[in-house]
Structures are given as C-alpha cells and as structure tokens.
Amino acid sequence: MDHAALDTQGLAEALRRFTAALEAHREELDSLNVFPVPDGDTGTNLLLTMRGVMAALDGRDPDRFATTVADAALMSARGNSGVIFAQVLRALVDGLLGDGTSARRTLARALGSAASEARRAVARPVEGTVLTVLADAASAAGRAADGAASDVASAARDAAAESLRRTTAAVPELAAAGVVDAGGLGALLLLDALASVANGSEMTVEVGRAGPVGSAGAASSDQDVGFKFEVMFLLRIDDERLPEVRDRLDEMGDSLVVVGSDGRYRVHLHTDEADGAVALAGRGGTVEDVRVVDLEEQVAEACVAGQARAVRMGERRTTGLVVVAEGDGIASLFRSLGAAVASPGNAATGLGAAVSAVTDDAVVVLPTDQESFAVAERVAGESGRDIWVVFARTIPEALSAAAAFNPTESPAAVAERMAEAVGTVATASVRRADDAWIGTIDGDVVAHGTNVGEAAVGVLSPIRTDEHEILTVLTGEAAGARETRELLEALASAFADLRIEHHVGGQPGEAYVFGLE
C-alpha cells in the first residue's frame, strides 16, 4: 500500500487498526469515563460501534464504502460516544472519498468536516471534551495542508494528543478525577490509526494508566448522576420536522446528540422521562431500536467493578497478585487487573521470580493449569512468605477471579473472594478439526458444525442458564478475522440478552475460549 494512500483500501485498514486499538484500550477508556456521567462505558460503546462497522464492510462492494460505513455506524452506534463517532466517521469517510482533489487537501478538509459535524450533532457542546480534541486536530491539519498527506495526518494526531492533555484542566469533573476525556482519547486513537496508514508505520498511542471509574471507593452507588435514564433510538422523520423534535427533546434532559441524514437519525438523551422522550419523538416520526439504560444502576455497577484498581485511589495495598498465563492479550488483561504475569512455559523458575518481585506483605498466586498449580504449591511451601494459591482450571475462571482481587484486603479475604469467583464461571471452547468446527467442555466434544458460529452456539447453549449475564470471548492465535466476525454475529443473535465481551487473547494453539458468568 502506498504510504500516503487514504483511499478505500487505506481507510479500511485505518478503521481496522482503530478497532484493534479500541480492543486494547477498552478498559482504559471505560475507566476514564467520568464525564458527563461516570458510567464506565465509553470504550465498550466505541468498540461495539466499530465492530458493527467492520462487520458491515466485510465483503461489501468497495464502490459503496462510504455509504456502508455511514449506515453501519448509524445503526451500530452505542452510547453518547458511539453516536458522536458515528457522525465523525460519516463526515470523515465522505470527505476523503467524495471528490477527486489531492489527498492532502481532502484529508485536511475531511477532518474539518468531521469536527464540525460532531459539534453540530451535540445540542449543548462542552469545551475540553472530544469536540475540542477534534477541532484542534482539524485546525492543525488545515495548517499542514500544503505538505504531504502523511504530514497532515501526523499533524492532526500530534495536535490531538496535546489537546487531550489539556482536557484534564478544562472540565471540572476531569480535573477532580485527574484524568483526560475518554472520548477525546478515542478521537486520538482514530487519528493515530489514520496517521499510521498514511505514514506506513505502527500506531503510537500505548495503553495508559487506568482511571478511577470501576475503582473501589471511587464513587458511591448513590451518586447523583443528574438524570436517571439514558435513552437511545433510531428516528425516521421528515427533515423539516427534526428541529422542533430536537428542541423539545433537549428540554427533557441533557447530553442530547442527534446524528444522521435524509430522514434517518440516531438519538441519544439523558432524561428522567424515558417513556415521554420516546413518545414525543414518535409523534414526530417513527421510533425504532429503542434502548433505555438505568444510569443510576450502571454508575453503581461501575463503582464497584474492578476492585484491583483500588491501589490507584491511594489506599494502602497489602496483597499482591501473580497469575500464570500465556498470550499477549491475556497477559495484558491480567495486568490491567493489577496482576504480575508469569508464563506457564517457565513456571518452574519464572513463577518464583515473579513472586519474589512482589513487594507486598502477602501474595495470591493464580495458576491456570495443573503443572503451574503444582509449582505454585511448592513455591508457597518453600518461600517462607505469606502466599495463598487459588486454582483456576481455565482462563475465563482466572479472569473472573482476578477481577475479584482487591489489593487492600487481607490475603485470606482476597483468596476466599477469588475462589468464589472461580465457581461462578462456565467455560467452553471451539477449535477447528479438519473441515469442521468442534465445541468442547472439559475436553469432551459436545457440539460440532460446518461453521464456527454453529459450533459456538451449540457448545454454549447447554451450559447457559438464566443467571448468566456476561459472555466473554477470548480469541487465540488460531482464530481468523473472518471467522471471528461470523462467530460474534452468531453469538449476538443467539444470546441477545447477554453482554458479550470480546478480547484478543492470543493464547497459542487455540481458536476460541468462552466464559459464561
């Protein structure tokens, strides 16, 4: 690919890189989400939005690239951030592919259009947020428009990074938490993806320190969130009637965002009158795909999740955590939960070194296979330190246990809580066998199919219960991009009431591992 090409092929690659970056930064973005409501879902919503876009692009006519992206982003948009980014993508892709002028001027103009359209979509724009980051990036791109396309993209990315740093001081909620704007970081990741394609280089933004959302004690569950409900829906309406409906919706709450065109719009609103907002919109047009989230419940859940982050809130930690696991993505997940990671390939020596490196008074060791369990028991018996061993048979069990880890509690309490978490997870896996896919539980084949989605639904359906709320999908080294998209689409259709969390685990020799909890 030409290093300066941001044509259909280049944009497809940039969107793929952006989606991969959202996978890697998802938990960080969620943890930074303190404004406008600390509900911890910015990363999740952006990722879900982009997954919808990427699924729509798979195998579609390149001549309809811009239309496909715009439609898919509109239909897949989730949350305040997802709705804003749907408009950003629409304007950006249309600006880059909509005329035949030079790449550098088209890129600068497209970024300017994206920033303007995002601001116009928000009923009450707030400075120091993603809107400001986009505007600063567009301004820098405009100043660099006489240079090469790679220079324009780099200038936009660098300006976005600097603008993002300033968001902390610009918004009181961000200043109080000491974090940058989560949506602004999402914008930086998008611009980093564009610049990496234009430059023919790797992306530059690394996963940073987690923020307070999801931390123990970070906020109380009875925190005032302003309005009780987040309401999202698709509105089909005559364009001339939209301004009146928009104004009346704005009077019913805040965080109103309306994006779309040609009689079809995605609406996002925080309000105390969820039914009233939907009814009002319905009197002006046709309402579809209504989603209502209880913000008070969501904020409460975000405030008690991820106990491992308590150490970042200034509480004294007493207990460290060491996990035995392999796969770059898996290791990153455990590290994000406060753990040191040792590879099972060198458990005999690496585990002892990892435990020795922990400076806390006590250590909980979480092995994930029989061999490392035996090594952990031996290390615990020989070290003379206060070491507790909690055994998880599978990575999903271990992730559940690590999520229950709290470094400020006693090791006995931590180990007990983690052992209980292990027991809440049902695990299955799917792998390719010759020309078919087979689903296994505890090594026994219980399902098979000609495609990966059929096998996955077949192996999960017998173990799924009404108590399960989350389905975690871990893709290993043997997982292909196309199969993964087919898998996620099949799971979303079969288990629409579950929250599906997908992580690129990179575990060697495996395709897909699932955890139900």
Side-chain angles (χ1 to χ4, degrees):
M1 182 190 304
D2 183 349
H3 74 280
L6 284 174
D7 52 10
T8 299
Q9 183 182 359
L11 274 176
E13 174 62 17
L15 294 181
R16 185 197 66 76
R17 295 186 187 188
F18 178 43
T19 305
L22 290 174
E23 293 272 9
H25 289 262
R26 175 182 179 176
E27 293 187 359
E28 177 192 6
L29 286 161
D30 284 347
S31 74
L32 296 174
N33 179 200
V34 301
F35 180 82
V37 174
D39 48 356
D41 63 358
T42 292
T44 298
N45 287 334
L46 287 178
L47 181 56
L48 290 174
T49 302
M50 284 308 301
R51 282 180 184 168
V53 172
M54 297 311 295
L57 285 175
D58 185 29
R60 297 300 175 91
D61 183 357
D63 292 337
R64 290 183 51 80
F65 185 91
T67 300
T68 300
V69 169
D71 288 348
L74 185 70
M75 299 304 294
S76 302
R78 300 290 187 274
N80 184 66
S81 54
V83 173
I84 291 174
F85 271 74
Q87 193 76 342
V88 169
L89 292 174
R90 172 191 291 269
L92 177 66
V93 174
D94 184 64
L96 283 167
L97 302 179
D99 61 50
T101 58
S102 67
R104 59 181 180 272
R105 294 193 181 279
T106 300
L107 176 57
R109 189 159 51 246
L111 290 172
S113 176
S116 298
E117 288 297 313
R119 183 173 294 270
R120 190 168 65 175
V122 178
R124 303 178 192 179
V126 176
E127 297 304 325
T129 64
V130 59
L131 302 179
T132 305
V133 173
L134 288 168
D136 290 343
S139 294
R143 293 191 295 271
D146 290 331
S150 56
D151 294 337
V152 175
S154 295
R157 179 196 59 206
D158 295 345
E162 180 59 35
S163 181
L164 179 65
R165 285 190 285 271
R166 293 194 295 268
T167 62
T168 302
V171 179
E173 290 87 346
L174 301 179
V179 298
V180 298
D181 181 66
L185 176 56
L188 175 59
L189 294 177
L190 173 59
L191 293 165
D192 195 25
L194 289 168
S196 71
V197 172
N199 291 316
S201 61
E202 298 298 319
M203 292 184 65
T204 63
V205 181
E206 298 181 352
V207 176
R209 181 175 64 88
V213 179
S215 302
S220 63
S221 60
D222 59 353
Q223 177 176 347
D224 180 13
V225 297
F227 292 93
K228 182 173 176 58
F229 299 108
E230 177 182 55
V231 183
M232 291 164 282
F233 52 84
L234 187 70
L235 175 62
R236 299 183 186 275
I237 187 173
D238 292 338
D239 288 346
E240 61 268 19
R241 302 191 66 181
L242 181 64
E244 178 185 358
V245 172
R246 175 179 168 134
D247 289 345
R248 295 187 64 187
L249 286 171
D250 189 38
E251 295 171 356
M252 299 182 68
D254 67 8
S255 297
L256 175 64
V257 184
V258 181
V259 305
S261 65
D262 300 327
R264 191 176 58 163
Y265 298 88
R266 178 69 66 181
V267 179
H268 170 279
L269 176 69
H270 290 176
T271 181
D272 289 329
E273 308 170 67
D275 292 341
V278 173
L280 188 156
R283 289 192 291 272
T286 302
V287 175
E288 304 172 4
D289 191 21
V290 178
R291 299 173 190 156
V292 179
V293 175
D294 188 317
L295 288 172
E296 293 177 350
E297 289 184 3
Q298 186 160 311
V299 169
E301 290 174 0
C303 291
V304 299
Q307 297 296 313
R309 296 200 190 113
V311 66
R312 297 187 176 96
M313 300 308 294
E315 301 178 51
R316 181 183 180 274
R317 61 180 295 157
T318 61
T319 307
L321 175 63
V322 176
V323 179
V324 182
E326 60 184 336
D328 292 342
I330 296 295
S332 294
L333 286 173
F334 282 118
R335 292 189 185 103
S336 74
L337 294 169
V341 180
S343 169
N346 65 346
T349 56
L351 183 56
V355 169
S356 298
V358 175
T359 59
D360 302 293
D361 298 338
V363 184
V364 175
V365 178
L366 185 61
T368 54
D369 61 79
Q370 289 290 347
E371 181 181 352
S372 59
F373 174 64
V375 173
E377 291 278 82
R378 187 174 71 248
V379 170
E382 296 175 352
S383 71
R385 295 186 62 184
D386 189 8
I387 297 177
W388 297 67
V389 179
V390 177
F391 180 49
R393 299 175 306 154
T394 67
I395 293 298
E397 288 181 354
L399 285 170
S400 180
F405 170 70
N406 185 341
T408 66
E409 293 184 336
S410 70
V414 171
E416 180 179 4
R417 188 193 305 275
M418 291 173 65
E420 291 175 352
V422 166
T424 66
V425 181
T427 303
S429 63
V430 165
R431 61 181 174 85
R432 185 185 289 278
D434 297 325
D435 294 328
W437 291 88
I438 61 172
T440 62
I441 299 175
D442 294 331
D444 297 327
V445 177
V446 299
H448 68 277
T450 56
N451 63 70
V452 66
E454 180 183 359
V457 173
V459 76
L460 289 169
S461 295
I463 61 174
R464 187 270 165 95
T465 71
D466 291 340
E467 295 181 354
H468 288 139
E469 299 176 344
I470 301 172
L471 171 59
T472 300
V473 181
L474 302 172
T475 56
E477 285 183 344
R482 181 181 297 275
E483 289 87 354
T484 299
R485 287 192 291 271
E486 293 175 356
L487 172 79
L488 294 175
E489 289 174 0
L491 294 176
S493 176
F495 306 111
D497 56 332
L498 292 177
R499 190 176 84 201
I500 298 176
E501 297 189 352
H502 170 226
H503 301 282
V504 179
Q507 57 271 25
E510 292 184 336
Y512 303 100
V513 176
F514 310 102
L516 280 165
E517 57 183 312

